[in-house]
Amino acid sequence: MNYYLTLRYRFSTLRLIAYDSHPRHTSPHLATACDARRRAALRVLACVCRDCDGTWGFGEAREPGGGTRMWATLPRASAAAYGAP
């Protein structure tokens, strides 16, 4: 399985994109179970993004080889204040 990660900072926002070559399941039951497992694994990321007014998600990759793409965005101002007293 292949993975890659990109980080980009533009317009005062950090954007992270992670890609893995694990293809989407053709069985709806398996696809739902796999998505539930991904959501559970990304629970902390979801909480941080919510608290920082960011976004996150995952879905089918647009790359030719298929796979899964996950992204997260964090605005600089709210991320800098995250966890501050």
Side-chain angles (χ1 to χ4, degrees):
M1 188 172 307
N2 295 318
Y3 301 95
Y4 73 76
L5 173 70
T6 63
L7 291 171
R8 176 181 282 175
Y9 182 74
R10 284 179 32 185
F11 308 115
S12 297
T13 300
L14 177 67
R15 181 174 181 91
L16 170 132
I17 300 174
Y19 162 83
D20 69 62
S21 60
H22 175 69
R24 298 280 297 163
H25 295 282
T26 56
S27 161
H29 176 71
L30 289 176
T32 299
C34 192
D35 286 352
R37 190 178 73 204
R38 285 181 189 275
R39 276 190 190 84
L42 297 169
R43 187 170 295 140
V44 172
L45 174 67
C47 291
V48 171
C49 286
R50 182 188 64 232
D51 290 349
C52 292
D53 299 321
T55 62
W56 77 280
F58 63 88
E60 193 167 345
R62 295 178 281 208
E63 284 73 13
T68 304
R69 182 176 71 104
M70 186 283 303
W71 68 91
T73 61
L74 295 169
R76 183 192 179 288
S78 54
Y82 182 74

XYZ file of all heavy atoms in Angstrom:
662
model
N 0.841 -1.168 0.000
C 0.000 0.000 0.000
C 0.894 1.241 0.000
O 1.906 1.280 0.671
C -0.920 -0.005 1.227
C -1.931 1.092 1.156
S -3.220 1.066 2.403
C -3.877 -0.538 2.298
N 0.520 2.257 -0.757
C 1.261 3.513 -0.824
C 0.546 4.598 -0.034
O -0.685 4.622 0.028
C 1.393 3.970 -2.274
C 2.226 3.025 -3.084
O 3.251 2.554 -2.617
N 1.791 2.728 -4.292
N 1.322 5.514 0.539
C 0.794 6.651 1.278
C 1.539 7.899 0.845
O 2.705 7.835 0.495
C 1.039 6.495 2.790
C 0.426 5.287 3.396
C 1.170 4.122 3.552
C -0.882 5.292 3.832
C 0.618 3.003 4.122
C -1.438 4.169 4.403
C -0.688 3.022 4.548
O -1.233 1.911 5.112
N 0.868 9.035 0.897
C 1.602 10.290 0.800
C 0.854 11.354 1.589
O -0.340 11.256 1.820
C 1.908 10.721 -0.630
C 0.768 11.246 -1.463
C 0.264 12.531 -1.282
C 0.218 10.475 -2.474
C -0.760 13.012 -2.075
C -0.802 10.963 -3.263
C -1.284 12.233 -3.052
O -2.296 12.703 -3.830
N 1.599 12.349 1.999
C 1.079 13.412 2.852
C 1.567 14.745 2.301
O 2.737 14.876 1.941
C 1.601 13.214 4.281
C 1.311 14.301 5.288
C -0.165 14.312 5.638
C 2.145 14.058 6.541
N 0.680 15.705 2.211
C 1.080 17.049 1.820
C 0.604 18.039 2.878
O -0.463 17.861 3.466
C 0.492 17.472 0.452
O -0.922 17.512 0.538
C 0.904 16.525 -0.643
N 1.421 19.050 3.117
C 1.074 20.163 3.990
C 1.235 21.431 3.172
O 2.244 21.598 2.494
C 2.001 20.227 5.205
C 1.866 19.115 6.216
C 2.998 19.206 7.231
C 0.529 19.198 6.923
N 0.269 22.303 3.273
C 0.349 23.571 2.546
C -0.201 24.675 3.452
O -1.229 24.494 4.098
C -0.474 23.500 1.271
C -0.498 24.825 0.523
C -1.329 24.735 -0.702
N -0.542 24.040 -1.717
C -0.999 23.704 -2.896
N -2.242 23.968 -3.214
N -0.232 23.095 -3.768
N 0.501 25.793 3.463
C 0.046 26.951 4.218
C -0.176 28.087 3.232
O 0.767 28.569 2.611
C 1.081 27.351 5.274
C 0.631 28.513 6.125
C -0.330 28.328 7.096
C 1.157 29.776 5.927
C -0.762 29.380 7.877
C 0.730 30.843 6.702
C -0.224 30.640 7.669
O -0.661 31.688 8.437
N -1.431 28.464 3.053
C -1.803 29.567 2.159
C -3.017 30.274 2.723
O -3.876 29.644 3.341
C -2.171 29.048 0.768
C -0.989 28.658 -0.042
C -1.295 28.112 -1.403
N -2.469 28.658 -2.047
C -2.934 28.218 -3.201
N -2.338 27.231 -3.816
N -3.989 28.751 -3.744
N -3.071 31.573 2.502
C -4.219 32.367 2.928
C -4.519 32.181 4.420
O -5.671 32.033 4.832
C -5.457 32.048 2.091
C -5.223 32.139 0.615
C -5.315 31.016 -0.182
C -4.872 33.345 0.021
C -5.087 31.088 -1.553
C -4.642 33.426 -1.348
C -4.753 32.294 -2.133
N -3.468 32.107 5.224
C -3.570 31.967 6.690
C -4.274 30.680 7.117
O -4.913 30.629 8.165
C -4.266 33.180 7.305
O -3.511 34.346 7.088
N -4.165 29.643 6.313
C -4.783 28.358 6.638
C -3.801 27.230 6.343
O -3.181 27.199 5.285
C -6.070 28.144 5.815
O -6.987 29.197 6.119
C -6.722 26.803 6.121
N -3.670 26.316 7.295
C -2.878 25.108 7.097
C -3.788 24.043 6.519
O -4.870 23.788 7.053
C -2.280 24.626 8.418
C -1.478 23.325 8.350
C -0.210 23.543 7.522
C -1.145 22.846 9.743
N -3.371 23.428 5.444
C -4.154 22.355 4.810
C -3.289 21.111 4.750
O -2.172 21.145 4.253
C -4.591 22.765 3.413
C -5.417 21.697 2.730
C -5.955 22.223 1.407
N -6.751 21.241 0.745
C -8.062 21.088 0.882
N -8.723 21.900 1.661
N -8.707 20.144 0.231
N -3.829 20.027 5.253
C -3.162 18.733 5.263
C -3.979 17.789 4.389
O -5.205 17.751 4.511
C -3.113 18.204 6.696
C -2.668 16.768 6.860
C -1.618 16.702 7.934
C -3.844 15.885 7.180
N -3.314 17.067 3.512
C -3.985 16.049 2.702
C -3.172 14.766 2.817
O -1.965 14.773 2.606
C -4.103 16.454 1.223
C -4.911 17.735 1.083
C -4.746 15.323 0.413
C -4.945 18.279 -0.332
N -3.838 13.690 3.184
C -3.204 12.375 3.261
C -3.935 11.453 2.283
O -5.157 11.472 2.197
C -3.285 11.817 4.672
N -3.159 10.661 1.566
C -3.702 9.751 0.572
C -3.174 8.356 0.849
O -2.008 8.184 1.179
C -3.275 10.204 -0.826
C -3.414 9.131 -1.882
C -4.632 8.903 -2.496
C -2.336 8.344 -2.240
C -4.756 7.914 -3.463
C -2.455 7.352 -3.198
C -3.669 7.142 -3.794
O -3.800 6.162 -4.732
N -4.046 7.363 0.757
C -3.567 5.979 0.781
C -4.198 5.236 -0.382
O -5.247 5.618 -0.871
C -3.842 5.294 2.124
C -5.305 5.037 2.400
O -5.940 4.286 1.638
O -5.819 5.575 3.394
N -3.535 4.208 -0.817
C -3.984 3.497 -2.012
C -5.037 2.429 -1.722
O -5.436 1.705 -2.629
C -2.782 2.869 -2.731
O -2.126 1.946 -1.878
N -5.517 2.358 -0.487
C -6.578 1.407 -0.143
C -7.842 1.782 -0.916
O -8.414 2.842 -0.697
C -6.844 1.449 1.364
C -7.980 0.596 1.810
N -7.939 -0.774 1.776
C -9.188 0.916 2.300
C -9.078 -1.257 2.245
N -9.854 -0.249 2.562
N -8.292 0.941 -1.845
C -9.446 1.304 -2.669
C -10.755 1.239 -1.881
O -10.866 0.532 -0.875
C -9.435 0.250 -3.780
C -8.759 -0.930 -3.172
C -7.752 -0.373 -2.201
N -11.727 1.997 -2.339
C -13.068 1.942 -1.748
C -13.634 0.541 -2.002
O -13.400 -0.069 -3.043
C -13.988 2.968 -2.395
C -13.556 4.392 -2.214
C -13.895 4.978 -0.885
N -15.333 5.019 -0.691
C -15.892 5.184 0.486
N -15.157 5.317 1.560
N -17.195 5.213 0.617
N -14.379 0.046 -1.038
C -14.989 -1.270 -1.182
C -16.198 -1.176 -2.114
O -16.937 -0.201 -2.076
C -15.434 -1.793 0.184
C -14.292 -2.038 1.114
N -13.489 -3.145 1.041
C -13.804 -1.294 2.138
C -12.558 -3.089 1.987
N -12.728 -1.970 2.657
N -16.380 -2.202 -2.914
C -17.533 -2.215 -3.810
C -18.789 -2.669 -3.086
O -19.894 -2.313 -3.481
C -17.267 -3.134 -5.019
O -16.923 -4.438 -4.561
C -16.143 -2.577 -5.879
N -18.632 -3.419 -2.009
C -19.777 -3.851 -1.207
C -20.213 -2.691 -0.302
O -19.410 -2.164 0.466
C -19.384 -5.044 -0.337
O -20.298 -5.211 0.734
N -21.483 -2.275 -0.364
C -21.947 -1.179 0.490
C -21.741 -1.465 1.979
O -21.395 -0.563 2.742
C -23.434 -1.057 0.153
C -23.578 -1.654 -1.197
C -22.531 -2.738 -1.282
N -21.926 -2.707 2.383
C -21.739 -3.066 3.798
C -20.284 -2.870 4.223
O -20.003 -2.282 5.269
C -22.183 -4.516 4.031
C -21.940 -5.000 5.419
N -22.672 -4.557 6.496
C -21.024 -5.865 5.917
C -22.218 -5.125 7.600
N -21.221 -5.934 7.275
N -19.361 -3.366 3.418
C -17.942 -3.204 3.733
C -17.506 -1.736 3.669
O -16.715 -1.279 4.491
C -17.081 -4.043 2.799
C -17.146 -5.553 3.005
C -16.326 -6.261 1.939
C -16.668 -5.933 4.383
N -18.027 -0.987 2.699
C -17.684 0.432 2.577
C -18.150 1.203 3.809
O -17.414 2.038 4.349
C -18.302 1.020 1.314
N -19.350 0.903 4.300
C -19.879 1.566 5.497
C -19.033 1.227 6.721
O -18.702 2.103 7.527
C -21.348 1.152 5.730
O -22.111 1.554 4.590
C -21.921 1.805 6.977
N -18.659 -0.038 6.858
C -17.829 -0.459 7.994
C -16.453 0.201 7.937
O -15.920 0.656 8.961
C -17.693 -1.983 8.016
N -15.867 0.281 6.766
C -14.549 0.900 6.604
C -14.627 2.397 6.922
O -13.757 2.937 7.611
C -14.049 0.666 5.185
S -12.308 1.079 4.939
N -15.677 3.071 6.445
C -15.845 4.496 6.744
C -16.020 4.725 8.237
O -15.470 5.682 8.793
C -17.042 5.066 5.989
C -16.777 5.249 4.499
O -15.617 5.079 4.071
O -17.741 5.574 3.777
N -16.764 3.863 8.913
C -16.955 3.989 10.368
C -15.623 3.827 11.095
O -15.338 4.554 12.059
C -17.964 2.965 10.859
N -14.803 2.901 10.640
C -13.492 2.697 11.261
C -12.594 3.917 11.045
O -11.888 4.349 11.946
C -12.841 1.436 10.704
C -11.583 1.047 11.481
C -10.982 -0.214 10.969
N -10.364 0.104 9.690
C -10.132 -0.770 8.743
N -10.462 -2.018 8.906
N -9.557 -0.414 7.619
N -12.648 4.499 9.851
C -11.859 5.707 9.580
C -12.320 6.869 10.467
O -11.509 7.598 11.017
C -11.959 6.116 8.108
C -11.159 5.248 7.190
C -11.309 5.760 5.751
N -10.735 4.835 4.809
C -9.459 4.793 4.470
N -8.611 5.617 5.011
N -9.026 3.912 3.588
N -13.630 7.057 10.578
C -14.143 8.142 11.426
C -13.690 7.965 12.871
O -13.312 8.929 13.533
C -15.662 8.191 11.370
C -16.185 8.941 10.212
C -17.701 9.186 10.316
N -18.180 9.695 9.063
C -18.516 8.956 8.021
N -18.454 7.645 8.092
N -18.933 9.508 6.906
N -13.747 6.747 13.370
C -13.311 6.479 14.743
C -11.827 6.774 14.908
O -11.407 7.367 15.910
C -13.617 5.032 15.124
N -11.019 6.415 13.926
C -9.574 6.643 14.003
C -9.240 8.131 13.919
O -8.223 8.572 14.446
C -8.869 5.886 12.871
N -10.104 8.912 13.295
C -9.855 10.342 13.111
C -10.639 11.208 14.104
O -10.766 12.415 13.916
C -10.200 10.743 11.670
C -9.350 10.072 10.597
C -9.935 10.323 9.208
C -7.921 10.563 10.675
N -11.153 10.607 15.170
C -11.986 11.330 16.136
C -11.263 12.518 16.760
O -11.825 13.603 16.889
C -12.470 10.379 17.224
C -13.480 11.026 18.150
C -14.121 10.011 19.067
N -14.892 9.080 18.250
C -14.944 7.769 18.456
N -14.284 7.235 19.457
N -15.652 6.998 17.690
N -10.003 12.354 17.137
C -9.248 13.461 17.746
C -9.068 14.591 16.729
O -9.254 15.766 17.045
C -7.892 12.979 18.296
C -7.037 14.147 18.746
C -8.112 12.015 19.450
N -8.724 14.238 15.498
C -8.589 15.239 14.450
C -9.902 16.003 14.272
O -9.900 17.233 14.141
C -8.183 14.592 13.124
C -8.147 15.512 11.913
C -7.036 16.549 12.055
C -7.992 14.710 10.647
N -11.010 15.300 14.282
C -12.316 15.944 14.128
C -12.568 16.946 15.253
O -13.059 18.054 15.007
C -13.422 14.891 14.097
N -12.219 16.590 16.472
C -12.416 17.493 17.615
C -11.547 18.743 17.494
O -12.014 19.860 17.743
C -12.118 16.773 18.930
S -13.311 15.499 19.350
N -10.282 18.567 17.112
C -9.377 19.715 16.959
C -9.883 20.625 15.841
O -9.948 21.853 16.008
C -7.930 19.260 16.684
C -7.043 20.439 16.312
C -7.367 18.531 17.896
N -10.271 20.054 14.708
C -10.778 20.867 13.600
C -12.035 21.626 14.011
O -12.175 22.815 13.696
C -11.065 19.993 12.378
S -9.580 19.453 11.521
N -12.928 20.975 14.717
C -14.153 21.644 15.162
C -13.825 22.804 16.094
O -14.334 23.915 15.928
C -15.079 20.650 15.866
C -16.402 21.279 16.319
C -17.235 20.362 17.187
N -16.506 20.103 18.420
C -16.257 18.891 18.916
N -16.671 17.817 18.273
N -15.605 18.746 20.040
N -12.936 22.578 17.064
C -12.574 23.622 18.026
C -11.820 24.781 17.381
O -11.811 25.888 17.903
C -11.742 23.036 19.167
C -12.557 22.126 20.076
O -13.810 22.113 19.952
O -11.945 21.432 20.901
N -11.165 24.534 16.255
C -10.378 25.565 15.559
C -11.115 26.147 14.357
O -10.506 26.824 13.523
C -9.044 24.980 15.103
S -7.940 24.564 16.449
N -12.404 25.868 14.233
C -13.192 26.347 13.091
C -12.626 25.847 11.767
O -12.703 26.530 10.743
C -13.271 27.878 13.071
C -13.943 28.434 14.311
O -14.925 27.819 14.769
O -13.472 29.456 14.836
N -12.042 24.656 11.790
C -11.504 24.053 10.574
C -12.482 23.051 9.989
O -13.625 22.933 10.433
N -12.019 22.338 8.989
C -12.835 21.305 8.356
C -11.995 20.048 8.192
O -10.768 20.096 8.221
C -13.327 21.742 6.956
O -12.195 21.964 6.113
C -14.171 22.988 7.035
N -12.653 18.934 8.010
C -11.953 17.689 7.738
C -12.933 16.747 7.051
O -14.147 16.953 7.073
C -11.401 17.052 9.013
C -12.438 16.359 9.841
C -13.316 16.952 10.710
C -12.750 14.980 9.839
N -14.139 16.016 11.253
C -13.815 14.786 10.742
C -12.234 13.881 9.171
C -14.370 13.534 10.990
C -12.787 12.630 9.417
C -13.834 12.479 10.327
N -12.392 15.734 6.447
C -13.228 14.728 5.818
C -12.375 13.724 5.072
O -11.151 13.813 5.066
N -13.035 12.762 4.468
C -12.343 11.775 3.650
C -13.288 11.277 2.586
O -14.509 11.415 2.700
C -11.776 10.619 4.494
C -12.823 9.811 5.198
C -13.418 8.723 4.580
C -13.228 10.140 6.470
C -14.387 7.980 5.229
C -14.194 9.406 7.130
C -14.774 8.327 6.504
N -12.725 10.744 1.556
C -13.520 10.216 0.460
C -12.630 9.569 -0.572
O -11.419 9.424 -0.377
N -13.231 9.229 -1.668
C -12.496 8.567 -2.735
C -11.464 9.528 -3.333
O -11.740 10.704 -3.552
C -13.471 8.111 -3.815
C -12.880 7.159 -4.805
C -13.944 6.482 -5.654
O -15.127 6.540 -5.302
O -13.551 5.913 -6.682
N -10.272 9.019 -3.556
C -9.204 9.835 -4.131
C -9.462 10.072 -5.609
O -10.017 9.220 -6.295
C -7.853 9.150 -3.936
N -9.037 11.214 -6.080
C -9.194 11.552 -7.502
C -7.998 11.093 -8.322
O -8.003 11.201 -9.540
C -9.382 13.052 -7.652
C -10.673 13.535 -7.012
C -10.789 15.019 -7.134
N -9.952 15.623 -6.111
C -10.164 16.798 -5.569
N -11.160 17.528 -5.979
N -9.366 17.269 -4.642
N -6.969 10.582 -7.652
C -5.771 10.139 -8.345
C -6.092 8.928 -9.231
O -6.997 8.156 -8.917
C -4.671 9.778 -7.338
C -3.997 10.983 -6.721
C -4.873 11.713 -5.701
O -5.909 11.168 -5.267
O -4.537 12.849 -5.360
N -5.335 8.727 -10.298
C -5.616 7.629 -11.231
C -5.623 6.243 -10.594
O -6.366 5.382 -11.013
C -4.493 7.736 -12.262
C -4.000 9.125 -12.161
C -4.227 9.549 -10.741
N -4.818 6.017 -9.572
C -4.750 4.695 -8.961
C -5.863 4.402 -7.980
O -5.941 3.318 -7.423
N -6.740 5.361 -7.740
C -7.813 5.169 -6.767
C -7.294 5.326 -5.353
O -6.225 5.888 -5.128
N -8.028 4.830 -4.408
C -7.623 4.926 -3.015
C -8.503 5.893 -2.247
O -9.608 6.229 -2.663
N -8.000 6.335 -1.110
C -8.763 7.186 -0.205
C -7.955 8.447 0.102
O -6.748 8.381 0.301
C -9.080 6.432 1.099
O -9.770 5.226 0.769
C -9.947 7.259 2.019
N -8.640 9.575 0.158
C -8.018 10.859 0.457
C -8.662 11.419 1.723
O -9.874 11.396 1.880
C -8.248 11.816 -0.702
C -7.610 13.166 -0.542
C -7.816 13.990 -1.795
N -9.178 14.408 -1.948
C -9.620 15.640 -1.701
N -8.810 16.565 -1.298
N -10.883 15.924 -1.878
N -7.843 11.902 2.657
C -8.322 12.556 3.872
C -7.744 13.959 3.877
O -6.606 14.157 3.482
C -7.826 11.785 5.100
C -8.359 12.265 6.439
S -7.653 13.760 7.162
C -5.933 13.382 7.254
N -8.538 14.944 4.302
C -8.045 16.305 4.365
C -8.469 16.959 5.676
O -9.426 16.540 6.315
C -8.556 17.138 3.193
C -10.034 17.386 3.254
C -10.677 18.448 3.840
C -11.057 16.543 2.757
N -12.037 18.309 3.721
C -12.299 17.134 3.054
C -11.052 15.325 2.074
C -13.510 16.563 2.701
C -12.268 14.760 1.738
C -13.470 15.387 2.044
N -7.712 17.970 6.052
C -8.046 18.787 7.218
C -7.535 20.197 6.947
O -6.476 20.371 6.335
C -7.399 18.230 8.480
N -8.297 21.196 7.371
C -7.862 22.583 7.267
C -7.957 23.225 8.645
O -8.903 22.966 9.391
C -8.720 23.393 6.268
O -10.073 23.410 6.722
C -8.643 22.804 4.868
N -6.969 24.030 8.967
C -6.936 24.739 10.244
C -6.579 26.202 9.996
O -5.470 26.497 9.561
C -5.896 24.124 11.185
C -6.158 22.703 11.637
C -4.931 22.142 12.343
C -7.372 22.658 12.545
N -7.507 27.122 10.274
C -7.184 28.541 10.158
C -6.131 28.930 11.198
O -6.185 28.481 12.349
C -8.513 29.247 10.449
C -9.559 28.196 10.247
C -8.915 26.902 10.589
N -5.176 29.754 10.799
C -4.054 30.106 11.655
C -4.487 30.723 12.977
O -4.025 30.316 14.035
C -3.115 31.074 10.930
C -1.892 31.418 11.748
C -1.133 32.591 11.157
N 0.025 32.957 11.924
C -0.010 33.565 13.107
N -1.145 33.849 13.674
N 1.109 33.868 13.737
N -5.354 31.703 12.948
C -5.712 32.432 14.165
C -6.337 31.520 15.220
O -5.932 31.531 16.386
C -6.647 33.584 13.830
N -7.287 30.718 14.827
C -7.942 29.838 15.808
C -7.040 28.677 16.216
O -7.072 28.234 17.363
C -9.286 29.340 15.291
O -9.147 28.735 14.034
N -6.195 28.202 15.310
C -5.260 27.124 15.659
C -4.211 27.631 16.640
O -3.826 26.911 17.564
C -4.601 26.550 14.415
N -3.757 28.875 16.463
C -2.756 29.443 17.372
C -3.326 29.615 18.776
O -2.602 29.491 19.770
C -2.264 30.776 16.836
N -4.618 29.874 18.866
C -5.244 30.059 20.166
C -5.699 28.738 20.804
O -6.051 28.711 21.977
C -6.475 30.982 20.003
N -5.634 27.659 20.056
C -6.090 26.355 20.547
C -5.272 25.936 21.771
O -4.053 25.911 21.743
C -5.954 25.292 19.451
C -6.448 23.940 19.855
C -7.798 23.676 19.957
C -5.555 22.919 20.154
C -8.252 22.429 20.318
C -5.996 21.662 20.521
C -7.355 21.418 20.605
O -7.800 20.187 20.979
N -5.937 25.656 22.846
C -5.283 25.203 24.061
C -4.643 26.303 24.874
O -4.052 26.024 25.917
N -4.730 27.546 24.409
C -4.135 28.650 25.174
C -4.998 28.943 26.398
O -6.222 28.795 26.358
C -4.027 29.892 24.302
N -4.374 29.349 27.490
C -5.153 29.636 28.716
C -6.054 30.845 28.561
O -5.922 31.685 27.771
C -4.088 29.892 29.768
C -2.804 30.055 29.058
C -2.977 29.547 27.669
